[in-house]
Amino acid sequence: METAELLKQRLKLVYRWYQGMVNRDTGMLEYLYIPETGTFMREKSPIRDIASVWDVEMLSDFLNKHELRSLIRKSLRHYGNYLVERDSHLILNPDRLEEPSSIAHSAFMILALLHAPSPRRMEEITALAEGILHQQRPDGSYKVYFHDLPDHGEELYAGEAMLALLETYRLLQDARCLQSAERAFSYYDAQYFRCNRVAGNILVFFANWQSQACRLLFECTQSTEIKKDVADYLCRMHDQIIERDFYENVERHPAQQVS
């Protein structure tokens, strides 16, 4: 079987896995399922839940499958009720989330709304992006939480925010979204990655989101210098992953790998 066909078969299995994770009572995804007992674990992880809706949308489009459209609509309606206005932009209500609201919540909500079946909820997408823009500091970094809390999870959340802004830019052509991602890229390379602030066990996760964001940044930016710097940044990140034997370990111990 050719690589492309094998990959498509694997993606079909992922889609079937998502189908098995839908709770029949709620019509929404459950965070954890125990196959041995056939039971769902009712843990709450809104960030991953919203991100999974975006994942299902992307899979559905790629595979041209629509069995999970009801799940998508119900989930977006559910989390759409979490949106509240704050300082002329939207965030997800921390009381409804039962955790502090962050740029990651907003980023995945943007991505899920952008890839949802038509019609797109443009006002909500724009207002959520405005919230992330509001969180950017003068040095280019993003304040993670929409509350007076210290940053946490910036290894993942910053890249997710950049990706959401760049996806928004592709649709709306709002130059502020592109400019924000350009400034953030410069910070997270020079002041974060080069300064060895990414722990070895987090590197592959950091690189995952930074790579997705930087791929779009490379496509969208008009600056030849930024394109060159982005390519160099990505090569340095992935060289480190290779040097740490990540791919060899995956090949040697596939059963130990987790998402």
Side-chain angles (χ1 to χ4, degrees):
M1 186 180 293
E2 295 184 1
T3 302
E5 184 58 29
L6 179 60
L7 176 60
K8 191 170 183 179
Q9 291 298 323
R10 296 289 176 85
L11 291 176
K12 287 179 178 177
L13 290 174
V14 173
Y15 190 87
R16 286 177 56 190
W17 178 81
Y18 271 124
Q19 287 180 294
M21 290 295 289
V22 178
N23 186 310
R24 293 181 182 178
D25 295 331
T26 66
M28 294 173 58
L29 292 170
E30 286 291 345
Y31 180 65
L32 189 65
Y33 176 71
I34 309 299
E36 291 82 0
T37 60
T39 57
F40 290 110
M41 298 292 290
R42 298 187 181 279
E43 296 184 23
K44 191 169 184 178
S45 181
I47 292 178
R48 293 185 179 183
D49 196 14
I50 300 168
S52 295
V53 173
W54 169 52
D55 201 20
V56 168
E57 292 167 349
M58 300 289 283
L59 272 174
S60 299
D61 287 346
F62 182 78
L63 298 172
N64 194 28
K65 295 176 72 67
H66 308 291
E67 293 90 335
L68 291 174
R69 183 161 286 190
S70 175
L71 159 78
I72 294 168
R73 289 194 174 121
K74 185 167 239 182
S75 298
L76 290 179
R77 187 165 57 248
H78 175 81
Y79 284 106
N81 291 330
Y82 284 35
L83 297 178
V84 292
E85 188 170 349
R86 174 189 167 127
D87 299 331
S88 76
H89 54 260
L90 288 179
I91 67 170
L92 280 88
N93 187 336
D95 294 329
R96 298 290 301 276
L97 291 170
E98 298 179 24
E99 62 188 21
S101 187
S102 74
I103 58 173
H105 294 97
S106 295
F108 283 127
M109 194 68 187
I110 289 170
L111 292 168
L113 289 171
L114 281 170
H115 292 274
S118 295
R120 288 196 178 102
R121 289 147 63 172
M122 300 308 305
E123 289 185 6
E124 292 178 357
I125 292 168
T126 302
L128 284 162
E130 194 72 43
I132 295 177
L133 292 173
H134 186 78
Q135 293 294 98
Q136 191 164 36
R137 301 183 179 102
D139 64 4
S141 66
Y142 295 105
K143 184 178 184 300
V144 170
Y145 295 106
F146 293 101
H147 318 282
D148 189 19
L149 294 170
D151 286 343
H152 174 74
E154 57 266 58
E155 301 93 343
L156 308 179
Y157 297 167
E160 294 160 1
M162 291 163 63
L163 178 61
L165 289 177
L166 287 164
E167 287 263 23
T168 302
Y169 171 75
R170 286 207 302 182
L171 179 65
L172 301 179
Q173 293 297 300
D174 184 339
R176 296 177 307 149
C177 293
L178 174 59
Q179 292 161 3
S180 176
E182 289 174 340
R183 291 172 54 215
F185 150 70
S186 296
Y187 173 85
Y188 288 103
D189 179 12
Q191 304 299 322
Y192 207 87
F193 181 69
R194 288 179 189 261
C195 293
N196 298 315
R197 294 174 64 184
V198 183
N201 62 333
I202 296 294
L203 175 61
V204 69
F205 304 104
F206 175 81
N208 170 41
W209 293 108
Q210 291 286 317
S211 297
Q212 290 187 67
C214 285
R215 177 188 63 82
L216 268 187
L217 178 57
F218 187 91
E219 292 177 5
C220 293
T221 187
Q222 299 301 307
S223 168
T224 302
E225 182 178 356
I226 290 177
K227 285 182 185 287
K228 180 177 178 297
D229 289 344
V230 165
D232 176 69
Y233 175 50
L234 292 177
C235 286
R236 282 185 281 108
M237 267 195 300
H238 288 275
D239 281 348
Q240 278 200 23
I241 292 173
I242 292 169
E243 289 166 4
R244 293 172 184 269
D245 297 328
F246 173 78
Y247 296 108
E248 287 80 357
N249 289 333
V250 170
E251 186 176 6
R252 290 193 197 108
H253 310 288
Q256 295 179 15
Q257 307 309 314
V258 295
S259 59

